[in-house]
Amino acid sequence: MRPIQTYKLMTLNRYVAEEQRWHPEATGTFTRMMWDISLATKMIAREVNKAGLADILGDAGIENVSGDRVQKLDAYAQARISRTLGRGGYLCLMASEEQPEPTPVPEGYPRGPYVLVFDPLDGSSNIDVNVSIGTIFGIYRRVSAGEGDGTLEDVLQPGSQLIAAGYVIYGSSTMLVYTSGNGVHGFTLDPSLGEYLLSHPDIRIPERGTTYSINEGYAGRWDEPTRRYLSWLKQEDAASGRPYKHRYVGTLVADVHRTLLTGGIFLYPSDARDPARPKPKLRLVYEANPMGFIIEQAGGRASTGRERILELQPAGLHQRVPLVLGSRREVELYEEFVAGAR
Ligand code: P6P
């Protein structure tokens, strides 16, 4: 890992500028893009934090491409990110959970070498009950020829091609967690300064954890290996006197954030009631890949149960995949159950 000279309460903008110094070829475009991601998410945090007061709660009366009801805050977050970053001159294309097709850079604005994939507001079903929600983003270099608009090929790259990824959790505090392949770092928003300050330098996920996270309400939908793994996990650690605690928020960003900091495993397996047609829920391009990159950079593992998430070749922008991520020990054990080795 390159030795970024960090110091207590370093701002995100300063950290990214320091990182640029390790790239002599850098033009500052990436740095400006990260500054704008910081700005857009601070604006979203401001709206999230007053959502209960303003008429911004509730249903916007529309559905997104995944069939999820779009909440007004989703629409605000989508607009904030696409407008702020679309005009920055560093992107050639954007792709979002909220839009059926990739979004080009607006007419009249310069195109750049980067591609942004994002979920503007993850967990929006939790908005009205004041439970943590989040924003997820991933950044690629364009692979298509030319310097004009990007193409679908640019957003359907495997997660292993991500050059940066991050999420913002709008919780008891607002925190941006970010990696550019140089470790994982957490920046907590100080609203009195309007700055993200380095609060969690070089986050490493524990080798083994204390929590497992899955929607137990869907136990009747799991396949046999998942069922066997869960019952083993509970018995195994009850015997050792260290039973796992079950934690499940129902917002991917919140469940991944807790898993990243305390270790353990998060699972969203496919609905396997029809074994011939398993139905996963989470989206590969703008949920599983960015989270998988972060977890791997922190020393953990992210897979479908069979394959490494970051090696999957996306077939479509809104493709869904089973997602299992967390501490190496727990994820590898799950993979052994899936492989029939246990
Ligand atoms: P369920 C939120 O709607 C989301 O897309 C993820 O943030 C979260 O992990 C998952 O769905 C929760 O799904 O079916 O348990 O409510």
Side-chain angles (χ1 to χ4, degrees), residues 68 97 119 121-126 134 136 214-216 218 221 248-256 266-268 281-283 287 320 323:
D68 298 333
E97 179 198 33
D119 182 354
L121 209 64
D122 166 62
S124 48
S125 56
N126 280 323
I136 306 171
I214 189 169
N215 186 333
E216 290 267 12
Y218 297 160
R221 303 180 180 181
Y248 191 74
V249 176
T251 295
L252 179 63
V253 166
D255 285 318
V256 171
F266 168 84
L267 309 95
Y268 205 113
K281 174 173 187 180
L282 298 179
R283 276 55 59 110
E287 290 178 330
R320 299 170 187 263
L323 177 61

Side-chain angles (χ1 to χ4, degrees), residues 178-230:
Y178 155 81
T179 183
S180 61
N182 194 6
V184 178
H185 311 282
F187 298 82
T188 300
L189 181 64
D190 178 337
S192 67
L193 290 176
E195 289 283 5
Y196 283 111
L197 303 179
L198 181 61
S199 53
H200 296 68
D202 195 20
I203 300 172
R204 302 294 295 167
I205 189 169
E207 270 300 307
R208 64 158 290 166
T210 56
T211 63
Y212 75 95
S213 186
I214 189 169
N215 186 333
E216 290 267 12
Y218 297 160
R221 303 180 180 181
W222 301 337
D223 62 16
E224 182 56 23
T226 302
R227 274 203 288 274
R228 286 193 302 106
Y229 172 77
L230 265 297

Side-chain angles (χ1 to χ4, degrees), residues 12-341:
L12 171 63
N13 288 6
R14 168 52 50 204
Y15 179 85
V16 176
E18 287 290 306
E19 271 200 329
Q20 180 183 328
R21 288 172 50 198
W22 290 94
H23 298 279
E25 77 288 358
T27 60
T29 307
F30 180 85
T31 299
R32 282 191 300 109
M33 176 168 52
M34 283 308 301
W35 289 352
D36 285 346
I37 287 175
S38 165
L39 175 62
T41 58
K42 284 188 274 192
M43 292 175 178
I44 295 167
R46 181 188 57 192
E47 295 309 309
V48 167
N49 292 334
K50 66 183 183 185
L53 303 171
D55 176 28
I56 198 161
L57 282 178
D59 198 312
I62 48 179
E63 277 192 356
N64 66 17
V65 66
S66 302
D68 298 333
R69 299 291 300 167
V70 176
Q71 305 273 2
K72 291 175 186 170
L73 261 181
D74 289 71
Y76 174 83
Q78 168 64 28
R80 196 68 279 136
I81 293 174
S82 60
R83 287 182 197 148
T84 305
L85 282 102
R87 297 167 178 156
Y90 30 70
L91 295 179
C92 64
L93 195 61
M94 292 177 276
S96 163
E97 179 198 33
E98 298 298 331
Q99 298 299 318
E101 302 301 327
T103 308
V105 170
E107 275 306 308
Y109 287 90
R111 273 73 176 141
Y114 296 110
V115 183
L116 176 73
V117 296
F118 64 103
D119 182 354
L121 209 64
D122 166 62
S124 48
S125 56
N126 280 323
I127 291 174
D128 289 349
V129 292
N130 212 7
V131 167
S132 297
I133 51 183
T135 295
I136 306 171
F137 63 91
I139 300 167
Y140 292 98
R141 271 187 217 297
R142 77 176 301 161
V143 290
S144 61
E147 296 183 348
D149 286 340
T151 68
L152 193 57
E153 177 196 12
D154 292 309
V155 294
L156 296 186
Q157 298 182 55
S160 57
Q161 300 306 305
L162 281 165
I163 60 168
Y167 61 81
V168 177
I169 179 167
Y170 309 105
S172 50
S173 64
T174 295
M175 189 166 157
L176 187 147
V177 174
Y178 155 81
T179 183
S180 61
N182 194 6
V184 178
H185 311 282
F187 298 82
T188 300
L189 181 64
D190 178 337
S192 67
L193 290 176
E195 289 283 5
Y196 283 111
L197 303 179
L198 181 61
S199 53
H200 296 68
D202 195 20
I203 300 172
R204 302 294 295 167
I205 189 169
E207 270 300 307
R208 64 158 290 166
T210 56
T211 63
Y212 75 95
S213 186
I214 189 169
N215 186 333
E216 290 267 12
Y218 297 160
R221 303 180 180 181
W222 301 337
D223 62 16
E224 182 56 23
T226 302
R227 274 203 288 274
R228 286 193 302 106
Y229 172 77
L230 265 297
S231 57
W232 176 88
L233 192 75
K234 294 170 189 174
Q235 289 154 15
E236 156 76 4
D237 283 86
S240 69
R242 282 192 57 203
Y244 283 78
K245 296 185 285 292
H246 178 241
R247 293 286 185 273
Y248 191 74
V249 176
T251 295
L252 179 63
V253 166
D255 285 318
V256 171
H257 186 64
R258 182 200 55 250
T259 304
L260 174 68
L261 295 186
T262 64
I265 189 167
F266 168 84
L267 309 95
Y268 205 113
S270 295
D271 175 345
R273 282 174 289 182
D274 177 356
R277 293 178 54 244
K279 290 182 186 163
K281 174 173 187 180
L282 298 179
R283 276 55 59 110
L284 173 58
V285 170
Y286 39 77
E287 290 178 330
N289 271 335
M291 291 312 201
F293 185 28
I294 291 166
I295 289 291
E296 287 197 357
Q297 276 290 308
R301 193 172 174 83
S303 91
T304 62
R306 289 183 170 77
E307 302 162 85
R308 181 181 174 230
I309 283 286
L310 298 190
E311 286 173 2
L312 299 178
Q313 173 54 56
L317 177 55
H318 302 289
Q319 176 184 345
R320 299 170 187 263
V321 289
L323 177 61
V324 180
L325 58 75
S327 298
R328 192 168 287 282
R329 171 187 185 263
E330 281 87 350
V331 176
E332 285 172 345
L333 280 169
Y334 177 74
E335 290 168 340
E336 287 176 26
F337 275 82
V338 171

